[in-house]
Amino acid sequence: MKTAITRAVLLFAALCLLLTACQSGGKGSGQQLAAHVGKDPNRPKLTLCVDLNPGFEASESGPVFDFLKTVPGYLDDFSVELDRIPCQGTERDTALTRVKTELLSGAGPDLFICVSPNLLDVTLMEKHQNATDALFQFPRSAMELGFFLPLDDYIAKAQYMEWDKLLPVVMDAGKSEKGQLLLPLTYSISATLAERESRSLTASLPMTWDEMLVSEDPCVRFACYSWRFGSILGELGDYGTDSLTFTEEELFARLEEARAANLAGRPQELGEANDVMPSISIGASNAHLFTPNSPEYIMIPQYNTTGGVTANINSFAAVNANTRHPDEAFLIVDKLLDQETMSNCEIYAYGSALPVNLELCQKDAPYYASYYEQNGKPRTEWYMNQWNYQQTRELAGQVNAVNFVTPLNQELMLAYGDCLNEEDPEKRRELTAEHYTAMKMIIAES
């Protein structure tokens, strides 16, 4: 009953927004690029909706069509029309409203490839504030609303993806009681990097956030420092009950601890040597730091309160529950998760993170990432030295909480920024209460 009512309310709201957008001169559809003419005019025609670079410069259609050319049967057995969501402005708003309205009415694109908006860098929020409007603001809520096709039976017969190589805890974030509905493609984790040649670790990892705060190891204490906030809390919401997983008091305590760590900065015991870097996102966005010639790093994450690593999903794919061509739609996402595709497909450059395939990022299995070597030479074949690859695998094995990037992340970052800049503890408590109330409203409306 709740799902039906929610869908009805959302459909009415979306129709109102769509009519408003059309009256104001907005386009009735997102930018669509037809595929090349194939042999059989009666072959199935799928619509692939892509949202690859929300809030930033326009993404190109070329990488998507280059990928489609590698999918068996493309053009001969089926064709694909590309529905590309604009990256910014009113055109983006109109396209988002259109696709959401189609979904709520039981139609919409056959499949989706989405990159999460970058909500974690507080310095980008004002400049790219439209990036908060994702196609699926709350992917887990979208799963509950029945937008996506359960893929378990298809996965069991997959031709290209190797499920046993994919990070289980991250893939599980795309599951509900109905089965595997979303297919995460990339995820991000952050850590403080201490060069192994000049630094050693006296503490035993993993540990809880509380243990990190009082550790005698200066590298561990420095890992408490971060310009991000949220990973300490683990998973942020329970979308079955539309509630937060933490109390206002806990949020205030963690904000105070993170604020103190931020203000304390670099422990004096570390000296001035530039061999410890705090709060570095491990993955394609920092590929230049993780080349075969890079230093070997001891990687210390900002552990959450239960002693694990929190990961954020940066991109995912899904098939519409209403598609009339489920076999062809799954074939496309199956090929997208093929290890060879992940090594060569430019689509993955937009994810800017780590691939869910754990075998990638080593010499014999490089990953696609666009970066420049120290000599200025551009590269797309990215892999780490063996030590750093193993360290990354160990961190992946410590992940016990996974979040899709949602407006909750932005609200937490805003709360963190406000508390960092406020010296009065009582005002910080008031600010925490305001942001906590906002977060309760956000998840209740998800």
Side-chain angles (χ1 to χ4, degrees), residues 7 10-11 14-15 17-18 21-22 27-32 47-51 82-86 91-114 134-136 147-148 320 322:
R7 289 179 70 120
L10 289 173
L11 177 58
L15 286 170
L17 288 171
L18 183 57
C22 293
K27 294 182 180 179
S29 65
Q31 183 176 2
Q32 297 184 358
T47 299
L48 166 59
C49 181
V50 295
D51 189 15
L82 183 61
D83 187 352
R84 192 174 68 182
I85 301 295
E91 288 187 351
R92 177 176 179 81
D93 296 337
T94 302
L96 291 176
T97 300
R98 169 183 56 81
V99 175
K100 291 174 183 178
T101 302
E102 292 172 354
L103 284 169
L104 289 164
S105 64
D110 295 277
L111 66 158
F112 308 89
I113 302 174
C114 298
L135 178 56
F136 300 106
F147 288 152
F148 307 122
N320 189 341
N322 299 310

Side-chain angles (χ1 to χ4, degrees), residues 41-289:
N42 297 316
R43 69 198 187 284
K45 181 179 181 180
L46 285 75
T47 299
L48 166 59
C49 181
V50 295
D51 189 15
L52 296 181
N53 213 17
F56 294 87
E57 294 76 16
S59 59
E60 298 294 329
S61 58
V64 181
F65 284 116
D66 287 343
F67 157 67
L68 288 173
K69 292 174 185 176
T70 70
V71 180
Y74 171 62
L75 296 183
D76 292 328
D77 301 331
F78 61 91
S79 65
V80 177
E81 183 178 57
L82 183 61
D83 187 352
R84 192 174 68 182
I85 301 295
C87 297
Q88 298 181 12
T90 56
E91 288 187 351
R92 177 176 179 81
D93 296 337
T94 302
L96 291 176
T97 300
R98 169 183 56 81
V99 175
K100 291 174 183 178
T101 302
E102 292 172 354
L103 284 169
L104 289 164
S105 64
D110 295 277
L111 66 158
F112 308 89
I113 302 174
C114 298
V115 172
S116 301
N118 187 345
L119 304 181
L120 301 183
D121 187 345
V122 72
T123 64
L124 296 177
M125 286 182 187
E126 183 176 354
K127 182 178 179 182
H128 300 296
Q129 57 187 350
N130 288 335
T132 61
D133 295 327
L135 178 56
F136 300 106
Q137 289 275 67
F138 295 90
R140 281 178 166 144
S141 292
M143 289 193 290
E144 295 292 332
L145 289 170
F147 288 152
F148 307 122
L149 182 70
L151 299 175
D152 300 75
D153 291 341
Y154 295 92
I155 292 170
K157 297 179 288 186
Q159 301 177 58
Y160 300 101
M161 68 174 72
E162 299 172 87
W163 195 257
D164 59 341
K165 292 184 178 180
L166 310 183
L167 182 56
V169 66
V170 170
M171 303 311 293
D172 285 348
K175 282 185 178 180
S176 77
E177 294 179 355
K178 301 174 184 177
Q180 190 77 41
L181 301 175
L182 295 179
L183 294 173
L185 303 174
T186 60
Y187 69 100
S188 62
I189 51 179
S190 298
T192 289
L193 308 179
E195 293 186 15
R196 183 188 180 203
E197 183 178 3
S198 55
R199 298 290 178 180
S200 60
L201 198 63
T202 60
S204 178
L205 302 180
M207 60 174 60
T208 66
W209 165 253
D210 293 312
E211 290 170 335
M212 291 184 73
L213 290 171
V214 297
S215 175
E216 295 183 359
D217 192 307
C219 289
V220 172
R221 293 202 310 279
F222 198 24
C224 296
Y225 169 93
S226 178
W227 54 267
R228 303 174 183 88
F229 180 80
S231 63
I232 304 168
L233 299 168
E235 294 190 4
L236 303 178
D238 181 339
Y239 293 92
T241 60
D242 292 336
S243 60
L244 300 172
T245 59
F246 50 91
T247 65
E248 181 182 324
E249 280 301 315
E250 182 179 3
L251 175 60
F252 178 69
R254 301 313 179 191
L255 282 168
E256 289 289 283
E257 292 162 355
R259 180 180 186 272
N262 186 291
L263 295 178
R266 185 184 182 91
Q268 291 183 352
E269 300 99 303
L270 295 180
E272 300 297 326
N274 190 29
D275 57 355
V276 184
M277 295 181 288
S279 190
I280 300 295
S281 180
I282 303 169
S285 61
N286 287 313
H288 63 287
L289 295 176

